[in-house]
Amino acid sequence: AALAEPRSSWLPEVQQVYKQLMQEKDPGARQAELFQGSAKVGETKTHQIQLTAGKYYSFFADCDYSCSDIDLTLKAADGRVIKEDNDDDDSPIFGWRANRTGSYTLTVTMPKCDTEQCEYSSQVFMGTKPVFDH
């Protein structure tokens, strides 16, 4: 029966997986943001996010079955890269403790997509402790 499901059904499933993972690693964590969209090969999508100084954040992204590589980058208001995961994979993850309250930019880049556009989602969790140091 799983084979009959639409290929895009993976994203809601993986969002639940990340929620469960965060609950196991940090029971006090909660999802702060969920960004969803689609991107062409080589395209970068930007999302604005408010972060609070002293809080721990975990960042995730994933893409549909047509995508084999997606990258995730967190930038400060001045454009400086704070954290990024641009490994050749389809599930970038990193954590960061915000050092100042303010607006940040989370970018999702789609290096590899087998179709005209690939669907993606990016989740941000705010927690009580560091979960992912990379």
Side-chain angles (χ1 to χ4, degrees), residues 1-10 13 65:
L3 296 175
E5 291 181 17
R7 292 169 68 84
S8 63
S9 69
W10 167 244
E13 189 178 314
Y65 291 119

Side-chain angles (χ1 to χ4, degrees), residues 3-123:
L3 296 175
E5 291 181 17
R7 292 169 68 84
S8 63
S9 69
W10 167 244
L11 290 174
E13 189 178 314
V14 77
Q15 290 164 15
Q16 284 303 118
V17 168
Y18 290 144
K19 281 182 184 177
Q20 290 170 352
L21 174 68
M22 287 305 298
Q23 283 300 299
E24 290 169 16
K25 302 263 187 196
D26 180 0
R30 64 171 180 79
Q31 183 171 292
E33 292 287 349
L34 170 62
F35 300 111
Q36 300 183 91
S38 60
K40 298 175 185 168
V41 173
E43 190 174 9
T44 296
K45 298 287 185 151
T46 61
H47 303 281
Q48 296 302 310
I49 183 168
Q50 290 292 320
L51 302 180
T52 303
K55 298 290 184 185
Y56 294 95
Y57 293 91
S58 296
F59 300 85
F60 300 86
D62 217 300
C63 50
D64 65 25
Y65 291 119
S66 301
C67 152
S68 59
D69 188 10
I70 184 172
D71 297 334
L72 190 61
T73 305
L74 179 67
K75 295 180 180 178
D78 63 6
R80 178 178 46 86
V81 171
I82 295 169
K83 285 284 224 180
E84 63 185 335
D85 182 339
N86 55 12
D87 293 344
D88 188 5
D89 64 19
D90 61 0
S91 55
I93 297 172
F94 58 78
W96 185 63
R97 183 172 186 247
N99 55 12
R100 70 169 189 82
T101 297
S103 183
Y104 293 81
T105 302
L106 192 63
T107 64
V108 176
T109 305
M110 189 72 63
K112 293 181 187 154
C113 174
D114 295 336
T115 56
E116 187 176 324
Q117 291 197 111
C118 283
E119 301 291 317
Y120 72 87
S121 68
S122 177
Q123 289 167 279

